[in-house]
Amino acid sequence: MSAVEFAAAQWTRATGAGVDPHEYGRVTDGLTSVADWGPAFLRTGHGYLRRAEGAGSSRSAGEYLLTAARWFHLATLAPHPEAHRAAVEADRALGGALTALEPGARRVSGEGFTGWLRGPADAPGTVVVVPGLDSAKEEFLDLVSALLARGLAVFAMDGPGQGVLAATTTFVPDYERIVGRAIDALGAARVGLVGMSLGGYFAARTAALEPRVAAVATVSGPFRLDWEELPPPVRDIMARRAGGADAAREFVRQVDLAALAPRIAAPLLVVDGGQDVIPGVTNGEPLARMAPHGTYLSVPHGDHLLGNARPDWLPHLGDHLTHALMGTSAPAGS
């Protein structure tokens, strides 16, 4: 794949993650190969670190650091030798940003997970945001903001094989154990889950097996995966995150929610994009149908993670979790 094709394929994901589309164009226009992607995005992130150092207020510094975190995370999307350093830089920049902008934000870590808890201490519920194949806690800052604006607390996490933990851990099929440990550490009474991409599988699986989950939503999450159907780039990422091709193939074999879907007792929202090109993640309708309290939302023009269709699903998802965690009824027609 050429640099132009790769940049086009990542366009809505990057802009959905919150980077300026004009700056994205300027950075990617200068790439001559995919190998240039990581270094260029790292340089852009470091530029924002310098702006933060020279900022005239702690707020401006924090905002620059949030932007740096986004660019550093996006630097990890193409394979390159500095990918782990980019993940570490993203993690550090996010921590610096939240320290400056939200003194009440709290780092919470445990065996197999790390992340940031944000929002009011007396929130009616806490939403755990679960990333996917090559995403991380730094990618979904706008989703977190939408949930915080509704009065919820939010814990955006990296789990095994994800984000800052990707260099030292590998994917686990029983991700519900990781979320369970996170819930223990958070001490939250009412918990909701949002799973993004492969995180949708993790979230649905956890909702079926972890009784403390009171609400769940998946976005571009797989119901079932088939190794032979996955595009080579996805297989390559899976192999890196799972600890080799054989481990990845075995992991994919276990991604099947048919037996677990009927056990999801919590209200479930399943969001799919009709233009998603990754086989296996546009088949969420059976998950919603088989879950006792499932709702299916398909956005015909949405691509993977629906970064090109945010108004069509993000408010709906925010309201779904808010109503479920607060114990209120959704308005008619929602």
Side-chain angles (χ1 to χ4, degrees), residues 64-263:
Y64 284 137
L65 287 168
L66 275 184
T67 303
R70 292 176 165 105
W71 284 99
F72 286 137
H73 165 63
L74 293 172
T76 70
L77 299 188
H80 65 105
E82 297 295 301
H84 176 58
R85 182 167 73 88
V88 171
E89 295 267 29
D91 180 77
R92 184 180 298 128
L94 177 61
L98 294 179
T99 299
L101 298 173
E102 298 178 25
R106 180 163 59 95
R107 184 80 182 225
V108 181
S109 301
E111 184 183 351
F113 73 91
T114 189
W116 283 89
L117 176 63
R118 301 167 60 186
D122 59 350
T126 300
V127 179
V128 178
V129 179
V130 180
L133 179 62
D134 59 353
S135 53
K137 63 187 180 301
E138 292 82 18
E139 183 165 341
F140 306 116
L141 296 173
D142 287 357
L143 166 63
V144 171
S145 294
L147 297 171
L148 291 172
R150 286 164 169 78
L152 298 169
V154 184
F155 180 63
M157 64 177 284
D158 292 334
Q162 298 170 322
V164 75
L165 302 181
T168 55
T169 60
T170 56
F171 280 158
V172 295
D174 52 347
Y175 200 100
E176 69 279 359
R177 290 189 305 109
I178 307 301
V179 176
R181 291 177 194 147
I183 294 173
D184 290 340
L186 296 171
R190 290 183 64 77
V191 175
L193 295 181
V194 181
M196 309 298 289
S197 189
L198 183 62
Y201 165 72
F202 292 143
R205 178 186 171 94
T206 300
L209 299 172
E210 170 54 72
R212 291 175 290 182
V213 174
V216 61
T218 70
V219 179
S220 296
F223 178 76
R224 180 185 293 114
L225 290 179
D226 184 324
W227 179 260
E228 300 304 323
E229 291 182 354
L230 292 176
V234 175
R235 291 191 205 173
D236 291 344
I237 299 169
M238 186 76 74
R240 289 198 300 272
R241 299 301 177 104
D246 290 343
R249 191 178 287 107
E250 175 59 22
F251 175 86
V252 167
R253 188 187 65 78
Q254 298 182 63
V255 179
D256 187 338
L257 291 169
L260 291 174
R263 298 176 60 179

Side-chain angles (χ1 to χ4, degrees), residues 21-101:
H22 304 289
E23 186 170 24
Y24 180 84
R26 291 194 297 271
V27 171
T28 57
D29 283 348
L31 303 181
T32 58
S33 76
V34 176
D36 298 330
W37 175 279
F41 278 61
L42 272 167
R43 283 195 302 272
T44 306
H46 285 136
Y48 278 98
L49 292 187
R50 289 191 293 273
R51 293 186 190 186
E53 290 173 359
S57 68
S58 60
R59 170 155 291 278
S60 293
E63 290 169 350
Y64 284 137
L65 287 168
L66 275 184
T67 303
R70 292 176 165 105
W71 284 99
F72 286 137
H73 165 63
L74 293 172
T76 70
L77 299 188
H80 65 105
E82 297 295 301
H84 176 58
R85 182 167 73 88
V88 171
E89 295 267 29
D91 180 77
R92 184 180 298 128
L94 177 61
L98 294 179
T99 299
L101 298 173

